[in-house]
Structures are given as C-alpha cells and as structure tokens.
Amino acid sequence: MFPELNNLLNTTPDRAEQGKLTLLCDAKTDGSFLVHHFLSFYLKANCKVCFVALIQSFSHYNIVGQKLGVNLTMARERGQLVFLEGLKSAVDVFFQAQEKPHPLQFLREASAGNLKPLFEFVRDALKPVDSGAAGWTYPVLLVDDLSVLLSLGLGAVAVLDFIHYCRATLCWELKGNVVVLVHDSGDVEDEENDILLNGLSHQSHLILRAEGLATGFCRDVHGQLRILWRRPSQSTSQRDQSLTYQYKIQDRSVSFFAKGMSPAVL
Amino acid sequence: MLDSLLALGGLVLLRDSVEWEGRSLLKALVKKSALCGEQVHILGCEVSEEEFREGFDSDINNRLVYHDFFRDPLNWSKTGEALPGGPLGALRAMCKRTDLGPVTIALDSLSWLLLHLPCATLCQTLHAVSYQDSCPPGDGSPVGKVHVLGLLHEELHGPGPMGALSSLAQTEVTLGGTMGQASARILCRRPQQHPTDQTQWFSILPDFSLHLQEGPSKEFQPQSDPHIPLVDPMAHLTFNLHLSKKEREARDSLTLPFQFSSEKQEALLRPRPSQATSHIFYEPDAYDDLDQEDPDDDLDI
C-alpha cells in the first residue's frame, strides 16, 4: 500500500471504514496501481480477501505485492486470500467437468448470461467460517476489472446486478468492503461501459479516478487522481467532498502532490 | 415551490446525477408526507432498509412501509423470502389498494426499475398507480391523492426512456447546483395550464428537513482543506524576499532616476556651476598607434 495515498484518504489498515463500495476508474491511463494498493492495504488490515483477477496472472500480482510488502503466496496458503485467476480458470470451464457451475460459467452461454455463479463463488469464499479460528477482521472483495466482463459478452445490467448482490451480502450483511476497477472509455462511445460506470458511481461511497494529463505524457507527472467521497454516513456533511492530486509512480511507491507542485517543477 | 411539490399528486421525477445526488431530497419529501399523516410506501431497490431509514426519527419510521428489494431482488438466494412478483408485482399491488386515504409511493430507484423492466411495462404500471384518483372505483367513493416520487439517475438512460417518463410525469425536478449549494429546477405541468419552470435553491438539514434558500449561500466559503499538503514556496530560497526596517526606509527615500520632481526641474533650469565632474582615464597600450587621422589603422583586417 502507498502511505501517501492512505494519508490522502485519511485511513490506515487499523481503522478503515467498513461496509463501503469503492470504485476505481481510469481514463487514458493505467489505474492498476490503485488495485495493488488496495490489495496490499486489506491484506495488511488482516481482512479475508477474495480477489477476482481477470486481467493478470497470479505471479504478476505477487511480484508487485512483494514490492509493497505483502506475500500473496503465503496469504493464499494460510487462507487469507482467495484468488480467482480468470486467465487460467476460464479454460477450466470447457475442459473440466464441475459438479456446480463454474464461476465463469457465462463464457459457455450463448445468450446473455448472468453472474450468479460468480456471486456464489464470492459468497462462499467470504462467508464467515463457523469455527472462527482464523480471526480475520472483515471480508473484502476486489475485482480487476469489470470492464473486461462487458467485453466477454455480458450486459451492463448483469454486471450491475452482480455488484448489487455483492454489496448486499458483503457490505450490508457482513460489514465488509468491495473495491472494483472499471475503465472509462472516454472519447470512445461505449454505452454499456458508461451505464456500468455511472451506475456504480451512484452506488459508491468513494470514487478514485486516475486520469492521464490533458496535455499528454510527462516523465515526472504520470497522471492526476481525483478523489470523490459520496454518501457520507454522517448527515451533517451533506456536500460530497472532492479533491484532485497529481501523482508519479515509482518502483515501490507512488508520490502525490498538489497540482503544479511536482518536485521536478519547483 | 419545492415544498408544494406534493400538493399536486401524480408522478414526480427526481432527476439526479453522480455529482448532485437526489436521495436526500427524496427522503426529505418522504418525511414531509409522513408528517402530513399520509401513508408512505417505499420500494427500496438500491439501498438497504437501515440505510434508508437512517436519519428519520421513530414516529416517521413507524409510518413508512418498506418493501425490501435490496437484499434479493432477482431471487438468487432461492430461500423463498423474496416478495412474490418482484418490484413490479409490488407496484401493481399498490394499484389495487383498498384503503382510500392519500398515499405517497417512493421509488428508490426508478432507474433500477427501468434497467430491469421493459420501459413500456413500467410506464403502464406507473400510469395506473399515479392516476388512480382520476378513475374512482365503482362505488363512487372518493379516492385520496396518490403521489409517486421516482428517483431517476439521469446518466443511466437514453433519451427514449427519459422522454417517456417525462411525458408521464406531472412534475420534474432536476438537481444541480454550484459551489456546494444545491438547486432544483422544477418543471411543473398542470392540466390545462401553462407549464411552469422555476429554480429553487435549497439545502437538506441533518434531520432531512427541507430548508429553502433565496439564492446560493453567500456565506459559503470553501473550507481550507486539511488534506492538501501545505508546501511553502517561500522556503529554501537562495535570495532574500524580505526587507529589514532600515532597508525599507532606504528604499522608500530613494528617488527614481526618471521621476521628474520639482527639485530636478530646478536643477536643470539653474545654470551649471561646473562641468560634469566625471573623467575618463585612458592609458594607451604599447602597440597603440595614436594616429588622429585614422584611428582604426592599427586594426589588422
């Protein structure tokens, strides 16, 4: 996790808020550093994490995780991390007979499917174990990313329904958190992606939006991060709060600074 | 105007966006109806019942009838707890209500219904629910007014469904605002009257009472943000930006060279007592050839 981002979000692994949906989106840049941040953040917070990783392999996340101070292999072995490697297990849908539907069963269906098997996989992975011996704090679902589900043939409403059920079970019932990444197509007209992004924005408590700079690529400033807090639980501060920072990604950390205050410029 | 929205009856659309959310206004209107003694039904699809009821005190909560379609709207859990017929069934059941007092139905949200139900079916059901009072039951007894408040997220729907719902609605409230102050643009279509278009500035208090304002609040100051790291650009400079008192006095007493003050005018007009006292001292070099006729002869071009 990136300590500077924790400061901006005013949170630490010990006292993170529960029952929240966090939406990560990126436009004209790669927002995957946010996924790595939250993965290491929640592992350090001693949460039980279910990671639906559809984009990269396990070893990729493991290598980056080690730079951030978490060992995914060990987390998986001790049962803290449940990792669905989409790239590998997608093939199992076709070549391995399963008793119950595979989480990615929708790949086999010709007509528009739904994500009920994936939801059931997540629910079974994160439901509290009756023995209670493990002692994880609260469950967390991380998805990287949801836009690829649209590319695989699902409709935006099916993905929204999946997140709805995840919110109902994980955020409301189990008081856990959900963090999802959606790409913003930006100039490209993609109605389904826009419905997905806007629908999730309305449901989210926190939106982190990584944008490329409007002027193009820069060596010292990799992009801009907009943070929007929505639906404050205390009704006293009705107005949503929004902040913007610029950032530079380094090997093991990300540094944030106010607009125009990059150390390279000053 | 905003506080008389409920007087008209029919369908009221609350159009909100990601930046200006509308659920607090929906809750404020629900609270108003409950305080007026109306029966209030909530069709909750987007947030949990606890979250919706949060902020209401107990006497209002007792008047709210909550139909929970948040936990299992599509019947995935197959426990049989889901309400039969789904949200559409619940809406249709409200058409056939037997009690005749005024009632408010809040749809949270209409966007969810529009994404999951065919637009035509939804519009027909909404029409049947909203205009019950125009078709009284056979025995001629008067039917109380029905208010339907629908929360609609503007960005999620195309112009077709939005247009269909607009034409069905008596009143459309579009949320917006500037500088942290929320406003509502109210478009009201009364039968046989001109449609009215007004903008009302408002804020919602923590107990979900509606506070109407004349204009954007002038006292609104952007709060100094504790999150922005205060980088002092004045730190670590290699030059001195500040003046000491002596230096400041010396600077103030300096006359500028091209300032035409009266002293300067006097000095110019007064005949000069002596010539300019500046001299140029020149020592010729060894190889210098001081030839007055051709001073540049020594240049080897």
Side-chain angles (χ1 to χ4, degrees):
Chain A
M1 61 176 190
F2 308 124
E4 284 193 41
L5 185 53
N6 284 342
N7 292 340
L8 296 182
L9 298 176
N10 198 21
T11 179
T12 60
D14 307 321
R15 50 179 188 88
E17 288 187 313
Q18 291 178 239
K20 303 291 178 197
L21 169 64
T22 301
L23 174 65
L24 312 172
C25 64
D26 57 13
K28 291 188 194 168
T29 189
D30 183 16
S32 55
F33 71 97
L34 296 169
V35 175
H36 295 298
H37 164 81
F38 281 103
L39 177 60
S40 56
F41 179 92
Y42 284 117
L43 284 175
K44 285 188 180 174
N46 211 28
C47 298
K48 180 134 191 217
V49 178
C50 177
F51 190 5
V52 176
L54 303 169
I55 300 293
Q56 301 278 8
S57 64
F58 178 80
S59 51
H60 170 88
Y61 294 105
N62 198 17
I63 290 169
V64 180
Q66 277 170 3
K67 290 188 188 176
L68 300 182
V70 288
N71 188 329
L72 297 191
T73 315
M74 277 185 54
R76 190 162 61 168
E77 278 167 14
R78 61 172 183 255
Q80 189 188 8
L81 173 66
V82 177
F83 196 96
L84 176 66
E85 192 171 349
L87 294 171
K88 252 179 39 177
S89 66
V91 186
D92 295 340
V93 178
F94 299 94
F95 295 121
Q96 275 188 24
Q98 310 253 333
E99 310 84 39
K100 55 178 188 170
H102 189 277
L104 302 178
Q105 188 66 28
F106 67 90
L107 292 170
R108 279 215 87 143
E109 286 157 22
S111 59
N114 65 27
L115 285 168
K116 183 168 169 221
L118 185 61
F119 165 69
E120 285 170 350
F121 169 83
V122 169
R123 185 195 56 200
D124 295 338
L126 290 178
K127 68 180 176 209
V129 178
D130 289 333
S131 61
W136 310 120
T137 44
Y138 50 89
V140 172
L141 168 66
L142 205 57
V143 184
D144 180 21
D145 59 48
L146 287 179
S147 299
V148 77
L149 292 174
L150 297 179
S151 309
L152 289 171
L154 285 167
V157 179
V159 182
L160 284 174
D161 287 339
F162 164 68
I163 295 296
H164 177 111
Y165 269 88
C166 290
R167 265 200 313 138
T169 307
L170 297 177
C171 294
W172 175 69
E173 203 180 311
L174 300 176
K175 304 283 181 281
N177 289 342
V178 176
V179 180
V180 297
L181 174 67
V182 178
H183 297 299
D184 188 355
S185 46
D187 301 330
V188 175
E189 288 278 339
D190 188 345
E191 278 184 27
E192 291 278 296
N193 200 48
D194 289 341
I195 292 175
L196 176 62
L197 185 60
N198 289 322
L200 286 177
S201 301
H202 277 280
Q203 297 173 19
S204 309
H205 298 91
L206 174 64
I207 303 178
L208 296 178
R209 194 182 154 88
E211 297 167 343
L213 295 176
T215 43
F217 175 73
C218 169
R219 193 183 54 187
D220 297 302
V221 179
H222 292 153
Q224 182 167 286
L225 184 71
R226 279 180 40 204
I227 307 174
L228 178 62
W229 281 273
R230 296 187 77 249
R231 297 170 62 188
S233 48
Q234 258 84 40
S235 311
T236 47
S237 56
Q238 287 288 321
R239 176 75 186 101
D240 302 331
Q241 193 186 3
S242 164
L243 296 170
T244 306
Y245 295 94
Q246 292 179 338
Y247 62 87
K248 178 177 179 183
I249 302 179
Q250 286 140 352
D251 184 43
R252 285 170 187 269
S253 67
V254 176
S255 58
F256 292 87
F257 34 87
K259 278 203 222 184
M261 300 289 244
S262 160
V265 170
L266 287 175
Chain B
M1 186 66 209
L2 200 56
D3 46 356
S4 57
L5 272 182
L6 299 172
L8 297 166
L11 175 63
V12 177
L13 287 184
L14 299 176
R15 296 166 58 145
D16 74 348
S17 57
V18 174
E19 208 194 329
W20 298 98
E21 59 91 24
R23 188 165 287 112
S24 9
L25 181 59
L26 179 70
K27 285 173 77 165
L29 294 173
V30 160
K31 174 176 172 166
K32 233 173 146 56
S33 298
L35 289 175
C36 292
E38 292 187 15
Q39 203 186 38
V40 183
H41 291 262
I42 320 280
L43 216 69
C45 310
E46 274 193 2
V47 296
S48 63
E49 186 172 351
E50 279 109 9
E51 191 176 334
F52 194 88
R53 287 183 184 270
E54 194 183 328
F56 289 145
D57 43 7
S58 53
D59 55 338
I60 295 178
N61 269 323
N62 291 337
R63 287 186 215 266
L64 301 186
V65 179
Y66 198 88
H67 305 262
D68 189 359
F69 291 102
F70 172 72
R71 277 199 310 176
D72 193 4
L74 306 173
N75 204 17
W76 280 5
S77 63
K78 290 207 172 16
T79 53
E81 281 176 10
L83 300 166
L88 191 62
L91 257 186
R92 285 183 174 147
M94 290 180 207
C95 299
K96 303 184 188 66
R97 63 200 183 100
T98 48
D99 59 333
L100 303 172
V103 70
T104 297
I105 302 168
L107 305 175
D108 180 13
S109 65
L110 196 45
S111 281
W112 193 95
L113 294 173
L114 198 52
L115 287 176
H116 289 83
L117 301 170
C119 183
T121 315
L122 180 62
C123 287
Q124 283 165 2
T125 314
L126 280 177
H127 187 273
V129 172
S130 315
Y131 296 101
Q132 287 176 56
D133 48 353
S134 58
C135 328
D139 57 359
S141 51
V143 182
K145 269 214 164 97
V146 178
H147 309 109
V148 182
L149 304 170
L151 182 62
L152 195 59
H153 306 308
E154 280 189 315
E155 307 102 331
L156 296 184
H157 310 289
M162 294 293 280
L165 287 173
S166 287
S167 60
L168 211 52
Q170 286 268 18
T171 317
E172 267 181 71
V173 180
T174 308
L175 288 151
T178 63
M179 290 277 294
Q181 185 65 45
S183 71
R185 186 180 162 214
I186 306 160
L187 192 62
C188 191
R189 287 185 211 93
R190 271 178 264 218
Q192 289 152 10
Q193 283 184 28
H194 280 299
T196 58
D197 186 352
Q198 289 180 353
T199 301
Q200 171 81 60
W201 298 87
F202 70 98
S203 60
I204 311 272
L205 301 174
D207 63 349
F208 290 103
S209 330
L210 199 53
H211 175 57
L212 302 175
Q213 280 154 339
E214 289 302 318
S217 167
K218 291 181 179 53
E219 293 99 35
F220 177 75
Q221 297 285 342
Q223 289 142 3
S224 67
D225 208 334
H227 288 282
I228 293 179
L230 291 167
V231 178
D232 184 15
M234 306 279 213
H236 313 302
L237 288 172
T238 53
F239 48 89
N240 192 11
L241 268 183
H242 303 285
L243 293 174
S244 70
K245 193 160 175 289
K246 230 172 78 171
E247 287 169 342
R248 202 185 301 273
E249 282 170 5
R251 188 187 72 170
D252 289 340
S253 60
L254 193 65
T255 45
L256 295 172
F258 301 108
Q259 197 169 350
F260 197 65
S261 60
S262 55
E263 290 94 9
K264 203 153 186 175
Q265 192 180 17
E266 292 290 314
L268 286 173
L269 290 175
R270 213 179 305 126
R272 280 182 175 272
S274 64
Q275 289 300 324
T277 55
S278 58
H279 290 284
I280 295 172
F281 295 97
Y282 172 65
E283 293 211 353
D285 293 329
Y287 50 80
D288 243 354
D289 181 13
L290 288 173
D291 186 0
Q292 294 299 326
E293 280 82 25
D294 188 6
D296 290 335
D297 194 34
D298 54 339
L299 289 174
D300 190 17
I301 299 171

